Amino acid sequence: LAKTTQPISMDSYEGQEVNITCSHNNIATNDYITWYQQFPSQGPRFIIQGYKTKVTNEVASLFIPADRKSSTLSLPRVSLSDTAVYYCLVGPFKAAGNKLTFGGGTRVLVKP
Amino acid sequence: DAGVIQSPRHEVTEMGQEVTLRCKPISGHNSLFWYRQTMMRGLELLIYFNNNVPIDDSGMPEDRFSAKMPNASFSTLKIQPSEPRDSAVYFCASSPQLYTQYFGPGTRLTVL
């Protein structure tokens, strides 16, 4: 599975946009990029997944450049409740057992 | 729909005792995963099952850990004998053969 690198932590303020960039230089052709969110005392929760260009849902947007060696998770107008750890994962879609490897994640703190 | 159900939510035991953690995956999901999370090591995959069959247990720390999935709706993770270094939050997750996993609320284990 492709190794990922993301910032350890980020601070933001309510109402701002938060962008978290993940590097995955050795991403394979059949790999997808997936982001999970983990609130304190809860299990990780799927946020968004993409293969190329841009994906948007009700929670976030995911921007993937043409070379796919990085991706950026964008959280629009964050609130205090968006304080969480965000994990970037890269791996093949529908892989046998869909094994995920979680890195250290990015700890996002939203301040009032 | 009910999500992944784990029990107990909290477990406090003494060193040397047997601990059994339980998980009920989401109905219809084919894959089940056990993770352990600590501050020092982050989120680690211990073992996963596909269609009730263990596929990869390379993450199981040692022989004191064992996991079973007797049917599609139930799995256990057993630690015997338990040690203080096993203290962690243990998560169970299930997946419908896609790249998205649904995590349970976790079991916080404390071994004294």
Side-chain angles (χ1 to χ4, degrees), chain A residues 1 32 34 36 38 41-46 49 87 89-100 102-103 107, chain B residues 9 31 33 35 37 39 43 45 48 50 55-56 58 91 95-106 108:
Chain A
L1 296 175
Y32 280 69
T34 308
Y36 280 76
Q38 185 176 23
S41 302
Q42 294 186 28
R45 181 178 73 117
F46 171 85
Q49 181 183 80
Y87 297 94
L89 296 93
V90 173
F93 192 54
K94 291 188 178 180
N98 308 305
K99 184 174 178 178
L100 297 178
F102 285 81
R107 190 172 299 273
Chain B
R9 293 294 309 277
S31 300
F33 308 79
Y35 291 86
Q37 187 171 38
M39 288 294 292
L43 197 60
L45 176 65
Y48 72 90
N50 205 33
I55 301 299
D56 184 348
S58 59
F91 289 104
S95 173
Q97 289 288 19
L98 299 174
Y99 201 56
T100 304
Q101 295 187 11
Y102 297 82
F103 283 74
R108 182 173 297 276

Side-chain angles (χ1 to χ4, degrees), chain B:
Chain B
D1 288 337
V4 174
I5 299 172
Q6 292 187 245
S7 64
R9 293 294 309 277
H10 301 273
E11 176 82 31
V12 180
T13 190
E14 292 187 346
M15 182 174 63
Q17 297 297 307
E18 177 180 294
V19 175
T20 299
L21 311 181
R22 297 173 175 80
C23 175
K24 177 179 170 55
I26 295 173
S27 177
H29 285 192
N30 300 82
S31 300
L32 182 140
F33 308 79
W34 283 101
Y35 291 86
R36 176 173 68 176
Q37 187 171 38
T38 62
M39 288 294 292
M40 291 296 295
R41 301 176 66 91
L43 197 60
E44 304 173 278
L45 176 65
L46 300 177
I47 184 172
Y48 72 90
F49 297 82
N50 205 33
N51 294 320
N52 310 339
V53 176
I55 301 299
D56 184 348
D57 64 354
S58 59
M60 296 286 261
E62 47 198 275
D63 291 345
R64 297 184 297 105
F65 285 69
S66 62
K68 294 182 179 180
M69 191 166 186
N71 56 61
S73 60
F74 183 67
S75 177
T76 60
L77 177 67
K78 185 177 294 186
I79 308 172
Q80 166 64 16
S82 59
E83 297 182 2
R85 59 193 168 118
D86 301 330
S87 297
V89 180
Y90 290 81
F91 289 104
C92 175
S94 69
S95 173
Q97 289 288 19
L98 299 174
Y99 201 56
T100 304
Q101 295 187 11
Y102 297 82
F103 283 74
T107 295
R108 182 173 297 276
L109 173 65
T110 302
V111 183
L112 303 174

